[in-house]
Amino acid sequence: MHLADIIGIGRTAAGEHWRRSLVDLCVEAGGAALDEARGTTPTAVIVGNALGGVLGDQQNLALYAASRLGLERVETHTVADDEASGGSAVRVALALLAAGLHERVLVIGAEKTTDALPDGVEAARAKGLDAVREAGFGMGPSVGAALAMRRYIDEHRVDRDLFYHLAATAHAHAALNPLAFLSWPLPEEQYRCSPVVAEPFTVCDGAPLCDGAAAVVLARPSQRASSAIRIAGSSAVSCRPGIAGLAVDLSLPAAERSAAAALSQAGLAARDVSVFELHDSSTLMAALSVEAVGLAPRGKALDFAARGGLRIGGERPALTFGGLKARGHVMGAAGVCQIAEGALQLRGEAGTNQVAGAKSALVQCLGSLGATAVTHVLA
Amino acid sequence: MHLADIIGIGRTAAGEHWRRSLVDLCVEAGGAALDEARGTTPTAVIVGNALGGVLGDQQNLALYAASRLGLERVETHTVADDEASGGSAVRVALALLAAGLHERVLVIGAEKTTDALPDGVEAARAKGLDAVREAGFGMGPSVGAALAMRRYIDEHRVDRDLFYHLAATAHAHAALNPLAFLSWPLPEEQYRCSPVVAEPFTVCDGAPLCDGAAAVVLARPSQRASSAIRIAGSSAVSCRPGIAGLAVDLSLPAAERSAAAALSQAGLAARDVSVFELHDSSTLMAALSVEAVGLAPRGKALDFAARGGLRIGGERPALTFGGLKARGHVMGAAGVCQIAEGALQLRGEAGTNQVAGAKSALVQCLGSLGATAVTHVLA
Amino acid sequence: MDIARSWRQQDSNLRLVGSRCRVCEALVFPQRLRCPSCGGADLADHAFQGGGTTVSVATVREAPRGFAGQVPYAAALVRLDEGPVVAAMLADVEPEEACPGMRVSMITRRIRQDGDDGPIVYGYKFAPEGSP
Amino acid sequence: MDIARSWRQQDSNLRLVGSRCRVCEALVFPQRLRCPSCGGADLADHAFQGGGTTVSVATVREAPRGFAGQVPYAAALVRLDEGPVVAAMLADVEPEEACPGMRVSMITRRIRQDGDDGPIVYGYKFAPEGSP
Ligand SMILES: [Zn+2]
Ligand SMILES: [Zn+2]
């Protein structure tokens, strides 16, 4: 399928943007994307943002982002699907384009976490799990991942330290990316000595929450031949929220279905895809994602990563700009950031992060510990 | 145009639902709509909600609503466009249908305000205005409406008490509606003696925030002849946020453009429409809405209401179930609630609130004091 | 602001009240308005017995806001004897001694405080069976 | 949590710093990254003089959280002499004496406190011109 063209890309660094508000971040990334798509003015602005509500930030964010970008008389929507917000925003934009309601849509993902203290951010994030039965009983995404990680170790009989290789892959790629938050290689020793968050889950198993934004201008498929990157597949699937199901089954059914549907639309199999941007909000989620997308059999994601299978230059290059784990976890911005990174790969503009000869990319964004999955295939 | 059919409707009462959580309200309204649309299972669930984030409630709400309704493997999105969230959710659902991505979509609008104290809710609501320059300096929607109301009185040289007739119209209709929150007629004496919130704006000028939810099941237009109510026009427009612009210009350009576009799609003029559900979040907003939609010239909305022009049985029946002002202001649920009410009118199922011979309805939902407008025309 | 919320949850929190579907007999925790198995809306309250077995355990050392005063604590998934799996903290056990496969039963403890002056919320935790 | 936010806003709050577009000379308050008139990104800081005229006034008696201690107060829209209209509280005037068309000038006052133990935020209010 040819759902849309990506005709403009903008990204801020992932990190601590003390001088920027949430709206500022939208304007910085959105403005850069508009500059790239010069000569075309979008008539809709869709913003994905996860925590702005809980953290008391600007509401009706897409309205304010559009207005500060000088875009008046446009359709604006703000999508809040937890960590999948960015992917969902792209998805809503595609629907507006495919419905023939707009010719050009600006999509922004943005998150501002550093205005709040870390324990408050973790509590805010926990509201994306069951707010009453999980968040209300002390379970956040890190505790949830820890419970699943313990099960993964027991069930698949793997060494706990093998999770290192997923983090190390992300760090190795982030070390090449000037916009990354944790832009350095991760020594195995540092991983092993990392402070415990929820045994067996350590600080180095989690992706660092930070500020950031990314934007793309999407256009209805042009009739003329065009060098623009195409969105060739798109699928959003939600099912079965809950830490219990995740940890008991050790699978991500929404991610599996969403990836399969998006690949099928694009006429591709996972083995045909050049680049994988996955939702590695923790090493545990990275492992389950790698398996859900079909890059390794159940229980074998860690081995695959340890063999270098996910490295740039490896069999299935993934997290090529550092992933959430080392580029930085920009929450609601993540999905748009991934799309921008995938598109840069296909343009051949990924610089030191370039995957040689990249022709297609699978980009998957997850919310509520994988219960919501949004996958796009670029070609 | 024939954008979609409304094949199921569900509503909770507007009021204080102490026994219901935000997710429960979604399930109650959504379940009723599903029951009406029996035999069809939607493959997407879109939820509009305004305050759940700021008030620390369940995030990724559409995921949890879908799951609690037993809908698995569906696409879910949560839309947060301030008070326009409900209208936006309908709009996103229409885009998914028109894009051919789904055949049936469940749309839910839900809001839960009574878990918080009123001053906290007002502060939360204020984040839908400019969070830094307005909310941060003590301006909420009520203060904004007060500043605009003072200008309206000065500019149009009207008596402050003339605003009574807009509130009285809503109350007269709510008195007939068993699901309304303020289900009684409003005596003029009570209006005149109402406690001041922000002079000249009184408690009786504002719409009472409360809990509530509404849902509709939308279907792609059927090829076969069908008695289902059709959505014949749809437009979302955002422009120029800010109390200053509102109060200086005393107009709602987003609402004007959105109404004009939706009517044009439906092939109707305002004078052809049987029922108007407008966003009367205050008497001031009601006046500007009536003028934006073209029911009265600038500055003449109060006279028109005083003449009974907006009453059921009057020239342009509006707020026919009591509007936000007296049915109750369910914030992010309002837009879906209005759609449900409009559809009931066209089905002839509005009971004591029925507008005789209703053939078309204009439904308009506003966010951020009118900077975001979403209009649908039903026929 | 959380007083109404706590009040609404007290049956679930204090007595493990969930729902039983009158149509398909499915048991679910916590209470539901619709049956997750058959979609029906005819549900009755059902108080679970409180016995169960841990499925997974994690020792929490960095807690979200509201729980910091309790670290370290063991978070667990407990499969109730009637079927549903509940996420809860363990009590009356050293976190490092908690492990998957332990028999536990429900007890009532202080769960969290919402803000420094907010209400204290009581609810279920699980303790090793036979602990005092 | 609002310390970073307050710090970021201090130029705007304390010195009415907005932006001037180097392309089209538009003046805007507060600071912008993009010019609202021409869309350009070449903007310089611009401190407004602080003089202006009230466009509308409302006496607030029921305030949102964070402002209750100040009621009654006059909220106003002030058109700065350079053009932009600012929403702000009035000071040094009885609320009922405030009216549209008053000449006012900017002063620095305490605006709000974020929570009982949160930081106190200072910023602009407007007082009648020539008041002490
Ligand atoms: Zn059942
Ligand atoms: Zn300019």
Side-chain angles (χ1 to χ4, degrees):
Chain A
M1 294 176 80
H2 184 176
L3 297 164
D5 288 331
I6 299 174
I7 62 167
I9 295 174
R11 295 179 299 156
T12 72
E16 294 164 328
H17 288 274
W18 302 113
R19 294 191 169 277
R20 292 277 190 262
S21 71
L22 179 57
V23 177
D24 292 339
L25 290 168
C26 289
V27 173
E28 190 177 336
L34 290 176
D35 287 346
E36 255 206 9
R38 208 181 347 250
T40 65
T41 303
T43 50
V45 178
I46 312 299
V47 175
N49 170 256
L51 297 179
V54 189
L55 297 179
D57 220 312
Q58 181 65 58
Q59 294 299 283
N60 206 352
L61 183 56
L63 163 70
Y64 289 88
S67 170
R68 294 294 178 86
L69 282 163
L71 299 170
E72 293 281 348
R73 298 183 296 280
V74 291
E75 172 160 10
T76 62
H77 300 299
T78 310
V79 182
D81 292 344
D82 190 51
E83 301 186 16
S85 299
S88 289
V90 172
R91 175 86 181 155
V92 168
L94 286 178
L96 290 170
L97 290 168
L101 297 168
H102 296 276
E103 295 292 319
R104 305 273 184 277
V105 179
L106 172 64
V107 186
I108 304 173
E111 202 70 56
K112 177 77 195 174
T113 62
T114 60
D115 281 350
L117 297 173
D119 67 327
V121 177
E122 188 67 11
R125 262 185 103 188
K127 306 281 168 118
L129 305 185
D130 186 314
V132 174
R133 294 293 141 200
E134 295 177 335
F137 281 73
M139 314 280 160
S142 301
V143 177
L147 289 163
M149 194 172 179
R150 163 63 58 93
R151 278 267 309 139
Y152 190 99
I153 291 166
D154 292 353
E155 179 80 7
H156 296 310
R157 302 166 184 279
V158 296
D159 188 301
R160 183 245 164 288
D161 288 338
L162 259 189
F163 282 94
Y164 162 70
H165 299 284
L166 288 164
T169 300
H171 273 270
H173 299 164
L176 308 169
N177 174 10
L179 297 184
F181 184 36
L182 307 186
S183 194
W184 63 79
L186 179 69
E188 187 155 7
E189 189 56 25
Q190 187 180 338
Y191 177 80
R192 287 175 192 264
C193 302
S194 176
V196 169
V197 175
E199 179 71 34
F201 186 98
T202 72
V203 168
C204 276
D205 286 305
L209 295 193
C210 58
D211 306 333
V216 289
V217 179
L218 301 182
R220 293 191 73 183
S222 59
Q223 308 303 330
R224 299 171 291 137
S226 150
S227 62
I229 305 306
R230 295 178 297 133
I231 299 186
S234 169
S235 171
V237 178
S238 287
C239 57
R240 204 196 65 180
I243 296 169
L246 177 76
V248 170
D249 297 343
L250 293 172
S251 65
L252 298 171
E256 283 174 30
R257 284 173 180 269
S258 166
L263 284 168
S264 150
Q265 288 168 25
L268 294 171
R271 64 177 173 281
D272 304 324
V273 173
S274 320
V275 175
F276 297 84
E277 297 302 334
L278 303 176
H279 198 84
D280 59 328
S281 54
S282 61
T283 53
L284 178 278
M285 289 298 290
L288 296 182
S289 296
V290 162
E291 296 166 14
V293 169
L295 306 189
R298 292 270 173 94
K300 299 299 181 192
L302 310 187
D303 291 337
F304 187 67
R307 291 206 313 272
L310 302 172
R311 298 280 181 132
I312 294 173
E315 221 176 311
R316 303 273 181 258
L319 320 173
T320 62
F321 285 79
L324 308 186
K325 176 69 194 84
R327 177 242 291 130
H329 191 351
V330 287
M331 291 291 296
V336 186
C337 202
Q338 291 170 314
I339 294 267
E341 291 167 348
L344 289 174
Q345 287 286 4
L346 302 199
R347 280 183 182 177
E349 296 177 0
T352 47
N353 297 85
Q354 186 66 47
V355 172
K359 293 209 160 29
S360 58
L362 181 150
V363 172
Q364 186 175 71
C365 184
L366 306 177
S368 299
L369 281 178
T372 296
V374 185
T375 310
H376 288 98
V377 175
L378 313 185
Chain B
M1 294 177 79
H2 185 175
L3 297 164
D5 287 332
I6 300 174
I7 61 168
I9 296 175
R11 295 179 298 156
T12 73
E16 294 165 330
H17 289 274
W18 302 111
R19 295 190 169 276
R20 290 277 190 261
S21 70
L22 179 58
V23 176
D24 292 339
L25 291 168
C26 290
V27 173
E28 189 177 339
L34 290 176
D35 287 346
E36 257 208 8
R38 209 181 346 251
T40 65
T41 303
T43 52
V45 178
I46 312 297
V47 175
N49 168 256
L51 297 180
V54 189
L55 297 179
D57 219 312
Q58 181 66 58
Q59 294 298 284
N60 206 353
L61 182 58
L63 163 70
Y64 289 88
S67 170
R68 295 294 179 85
L69 282 163
L71 300 171
E72 292 282 347
R73 299 182 296 279
V74 292
E75 172 161 10
T76 63
H77 301 297
T78 311
V79 182
D81 293 343
D82 191 51
E83 301 185 16
S85 299
S88 289
V90 172
R91 174 86 181 155
V92 168
L94 286 179
L96 290 170
L97 291 169
L101 297 168
H102 296 276
E103 295 293 319
R104 306 272 184 276
V105 179
L106 172 63
V107 186
I108 304 173
E111 202 71 57
K112 178 74 194 172
T113 62
T114 59
D115 281 351
L117 297 173
D119 66 328
V121 177
E122 187 67 10
R125 263 186 105 186
K127 305 280 167 115
L129 306 185
D130 186 315
V132 174
R133 294 292 140 200
E134 294 177 335
F137 282 73
M139 314 279 161
S142 301
V143 177
L147 289 163
M149 195 172 181
R150 164 63 58 93
R151 277 268 307 141
Y152 190 99
I153 292 165
D154 292 352
E155 179 79 8
H156 295 309
R157 300 166 186 279
V158 296
D159 188 301
R160 183 244 163 288
D161 288 337
L162 259 189
F163 281 94
Y164 162 70
H165 299 283
L166 288 164
T169 300
H171 272 268
H173 298 164
L176 308 170
N177 174 10
L179 298 183
F181 184 36
L182 307 186
S183 196
W184 61 79
L186 178 69
E188 185 154 8
E189 186 56 23
Q190 187 180 336
Y191 177 80
R192 287 176 192 263
C193 301
S194 176
V196 170
V197 175
E199 179 69 33
F201 187 97
T202 73
V203 167
C204 275
D205 287 304
L209 295 192
C210 59
D211 305 334
V216 290
V217 179
L218 301 183
R220 292 190 73 184
S222 61
Q223 309 302 328
R224 299 170 292 139
S226 149
S227 63
I229 303 307
R230 295 179 296 132
I231 298 186
S234 169
S235 169
V237 178
S238 286
C239 57
R240 202 197 66 178
I243 297 169
L246 177 75
V248 169
D249 297 343
L250 293 172
S251 65
L252 298 171
E256 283 174 30
R257 284 174 180 268
S258 166
L263 284 169
S264 149
Q265 289 167 26
L268 294 172
R271 65 177 171 280
D272 305 323
V273 172
S274 320
V275 176
F276 296 85
E277 296 302 334
L278 303 176
H279 198 84
D280 58 327
S281 54
S282 61
T283 53
L284 178 276
M285 289 298 290
L288 296 182
S289 295
V290 162
E291 295 167 13
V293 169
L295 306 190
R298 292 271 173 92
K300 298 298 180 193
L302 310 187
D303 290 338
F304 186 67
R307 289 207 314 273
L310 302 172
R311 299 279 181 133
I312 294 172
E315 221 176 313
R316 304 271 179 259
L319 320 172
T320 62
F321 285 78
L324 308 186
K325 176 69 193 85
R327 177 242 292 131
H329 190 352
V330 287
M331 290 291 297
V336 185
C337 201
Q338 292 170 313
I339 294 267
E341 291 167 347
L344 289 174
Q345 287 286 4
L346 303 199
R347 280 183 182 176
E349 296 177 1
T352 47
N353 297 87
Q354 186 65 48
V355 172
K359 293 208 161 30
S360 58
L362 182 149
V363 173
Q364 186 174 72
C365 184
L366 306 178
S368 298
L369 281 178
T372 295
V374 185
T375 310
H376 288 98
V377 175
L378 313 185
Chain C
M1 74 180 259
D2 284 305
I3 291 177
R5 288 180 189 166
S6 307
W7 171 82
R8 200 156 56 226
Q9 295 154 16
Q10 63 187 354
D11 282 352
S12 300
N13 282 3
L14 302 179
R15 300 191 298 118
L16 275 180
V17 172
S19 298
R20 180 176 59 79
C21 176
R22 288 203 177 96
V23 179
C24 75
E25 297 294 327
L27 293 174
V28 57
F29 180 84
Q31 286 153 305
R32 291 282 188 278
L33 297 171
R34 294 259 161 173
C35 170
S37 298
C38 75
D42 187 11
L43 296 144
D45 280 358
H46 178 91
F48 287 84
Q49 296 294 324
T53 308
T54 57
V55 174
S56 187
V57 173
T59 306
V60 179
R61 297 189 183 275
E62 274 186 41
R65 184 170 293 167
F67 300 89
Q70 303 185 55
V71 292
Y73 58 85
L77 296 172
V78 175
R79 187 183 297 281
L80 300 176
D81 293 336
E82 297 93 334
V85 180
V86 177
M89 291 184 215
L90 299 185
D92 301 344
V93 60
E94 291 302 316
E96 41 282 14
E97 286 168 15
C99 62
M102 284 169 70
R103 283 295 304 167
V104 293
S105 60
M106 183 269 203
I107 53 172
T108 298
R109 290 293 160 85
R110 171 180 173 149
I111 301 297
R112 67 177 190 277
Q113 182 163 19
D114 293 322
D116 287 341
D117 51 359
I120 293 168
V121 178
Y122 290 87
Y124 48 80
K125 293 188 181 183
F126 288 83
E129 238 171 36
S131 71
Chain D
M1 73 182 258
D2 284 306
I3 291 177
R5 288 180 188 165
S6 306
W7 171 81
R8 202 158 53 227
Q9 295 154 15
Q10 63 187 353
D11 282 352
S12 300
N13 282 4
L14 302 180
R15 299 192 299 118
L16 275 180
V17 172
S19 298
R20 180 176 60 78
C21 176
R22 287 205 177 95
V23 178
C24 76
E25 297 293 325
L27 292 174
V28 57
F29 180 84
Q31 287 155 305
R32 290 284 189 276
L33 297 171
R34 295 259 161 171
C35 171
S37 298
C38 74
D42 187 12
L43 296 143
D45 279 359
H46 178 90
F48 286 84
Q49 296 293 326
T53 308
T54 57
V55 174
S56 187
V57 173
T59 305
V60 179
R61 296 189 184 273
E62 274 187 42
R65 184 169 292 168
F67 300 90
Q70 304 184 54
V71 293
Y73 58 85
L77 296 172
V78 175
R79 186 182 297 281
L80 300 176
D81 293 336
E82 297 93 331
V85 180
V86 177
M89 292 184 215
L90 300 185
D92 301 344
V93 59
E94 291 302 318
E96 43 280 15
E97 287 169 15
C99 61
M102 284 169 68
R103 283 295 302 170
V104 293
S105 58
M106 183 268 203
I107 53 173
T108 298
R109 289 293 160 86
R110 173 180 174 149
I111 301 298
R112 68 177 189 277
Q113 183 164 18
D114 292 322
D116 286 343
D117 50 0
I120 293 169
V121 178
Y122 290 87
Y124 49 81
K125 293 188 180 182
F126 288 82
E129 237 172 36
S131 70

